[in-house]
Amino acid sequence: MRALNPDQLRTFSEVVEHGSFTAAAKQLNLSQPAVSLQIRELEARCGVQLLDRLGKKPFPTAAGRQLLIHAKRILSENEEALSSMRRISEASGHQVRLGMSMTTLAYVARETIRRFKRENPRIDLVISLSPSSPLVEDVRNHSLDLAVVSLPIDDAQLIVRPFYEDSVIALVPEDHFTPAPDRATPELLASAPFIVQDMAGVQTRLAQEWFRTGGHAPQSFIEVRNLEACRAAVAAGLGVSIVPGVMAQQPMEGLLVLPLDPPVRRQLAVVEHKSRLPNAVIDRLRTALLASADSLIPLDKRPVEKPRPG
């Protein structure tokens, strides 16, 4: 016996449910002769009569009633299989792999990511949180579709789109210097251990260049996991650090925030590989990230709060 045809089983089920070839044909968007043909072919395939015709109304035979039990189970499994394939089809090509630092997610891109997820619920957004250097490498080897990183980057394989610039600031323990300074110089910060998130990262490179402008070098280095850990370590009195100015949005007890002298600027950019194939979903996310700076006010352009009288 040949395998059962799901379309014929569905037609048979509809005829039994509606008690009419005409109603079944309407439900299935088929002609009545097409429905009759499918029933005849199904009966031939099974080798038994499935319907009795009493007047104009068809009724299932004993064999038909038995087949109906199996048909419902087969059609249900068939629908489950098709639904599973639809889910895969809908998700196919809609995964976006995005990289950024924890600080960028917390202070720059958080609302953008939240809005993008809300507006695109079917998109599988996978975020990798890491410092800029490994993120650039991940974009280069196609492990990430997009990344938000700190400049400078010199890589001919990548498209670099700068979108936000801010001052770099110094963090020092609140009671470390007496009297409390109003700015951070290389000489001042060189007197304490320097806390960094990555000895090979952008933060350390900026710091070393800045110290050299004043003819100084850090007393020693303490390496931690990320910039948030830098901030916590400074607040605990373990040393000093420099971080993006955007982090000053959330003050932390025990910290003194100082502008750098000479000043240092930091630029963020969205990067992607030049050979990446066109993808409308990735393009939408890139556009949203580039627009995220519109709602941010760089530290040096924020209005200064005046003391309240009295």
Side-chain angles (χ1 to χ4, degrees):
M1 184 182 294
R2 292 180 297 163
L4 294 172
N5 184 317
D7 291 334
Q8 293 173 354
L9 290 175
R10 186 174 300 281
T11 298
F12 172 67
S13 298
E14 292 292 340
V15 170
V16 172
E17 181 178 345
H18 293 283
S20 165
F21 280 74
T22 302
K26 185 177 180 180
Q27 180 69 25
L28 295 166
N29 198 27
L30 296 172
S31 67
Q32 185 173 332
V35 169
S36 298
L37 177 61
Q38 287 200 20
I39 296 300
R40 288 198 301 272
E41 288 179 346
L42 182 59
E43 288 179 327
R45 182 165 294 187
C46 294
V48 293
Q49 184 178 345
L50 299 173
L51 293 172
D52 275 332
R53 294 161 182 84
L54 301 177
K56 291 186 177 181
K57 188 170 183 179
F59 291 91
T61 64
R65 289 193 295 272
Q66 186 67 36
L67 180 61
L68 193 61
I69 295 171
H70 295 291
K72 289 181 178 179
R73 187 162 59 244
I74 292 169
L75 292 173
S76 175
E77 288 291 333
N78 187 61
E79 185 56 38
E80 278 294 317
L82 290 174
S83 295
S84 178
M85 295 303 101
R86 279 195 296 268
R87 287 193 294 270
I88 293 173
S89 175
E90 289 171 357
S92 179
H94 287 71
Q95 183 187 82
V96 181
R97 301 163 301 171
L98 172 65
M100 61 180 63
S101 70
M102 186 181 297
T103 302
T104 299
L105 178 61
Y107 298 99
V108 178
R110 181 180 57 194
E111 292 306 316
T112 298
I113 296 299
R114 182 180 295 169
R115 184 170 60 252
F116 185 83
K117 288 286 291 179
R118 185 174 61 247
E119 294 174 354
N120 302 274
R122 291 189 174 183
I123 294 174
D124 183 14
L125 181 59
V126 179
I127 297 185
S128 174
L129 298 177
S130 185
S132 291
S133 297
L135 291 177
V136 170
E137 182 60 32
D138 285 343
V139 173
R140 187 183 295 118
N141 63 30
H142 299 281
S143 297
L144 291 174
D145 301 304
L146 297 172
V148 181
V149 299
S150 295
L151 297 182
I153 294 172
D154 183 16
D155 193 316
Q157 301 179 68
L158 305 183
I159 299 173
V160 180
R161 294 182 172 91
F163 72 101
Y164 179 70
E165 184 175 303
D166 201 3
S167 295
V168 177
I169 57 175
L171 300 180
V172 303
E174 196 171 42
D175 56 357
H176 187 78
F177 297 103
T178 303
D182 59 1
R183 59 195 176 93
T185 63
E187 181 181 8
L188 181 76
L189 296 195
S191 64
F194 196 81
I195 301 168
V196 296
Q197 69 166 341
D198 178 9
M199 286 301 297
V202 174
Q203 178 202 23
T204 305
R205 190 162 63 247
L206 286 174
Q208 289 174 330
E209 291 173 358
W210 179 74
F211 274 111
R212 278 197 292 269
T213 63
H216 292 274
Q219 180 188 99
S220 61
F221 285 98
I222 299 175
E223 190 172 4
V224 296
R225 281 191 169 273
N226 51 57
L227 291 177
E228 290 298 326
C230 286
R231 191 165 79 154
V234 174
L238 300 181
V240 299
S241 189
I242 65 170
V243 298
V246 72
M247 292 181 69
Q249 293 177 16
Q250 294 182 8
M252 178 182 284
E253 187 177 348
L255 280 178
L256 189 61
V257 177
L258 301 174
L260 295 185
D261 182 17
V264 175
R265 307 287 294 176
R266 181 190 75 131
Q267 238 181 345
L268 289 180
V270 177
V271 298
E272 60 191 292
H273 205 284
K274 285 183 177 179
S275 66
R276 182 181 67 76
L277 296 175
N279 184 300
V281 174
I282 295 175
D283 292 345
R284 285 207 302 274
L285 178 57
R286 185 208 317 115
T287 298
L289 289 168
L290 293 174
S292 62
D294 295 344
S295 61
L296 299 172
I297 303 175
L299 183 69
D300 54 350
K301 295 182 180 178
R302 295 174 197 162
V304 177
E305 288 190 10
K306 296 180 180 180
R308 296 180 182 177

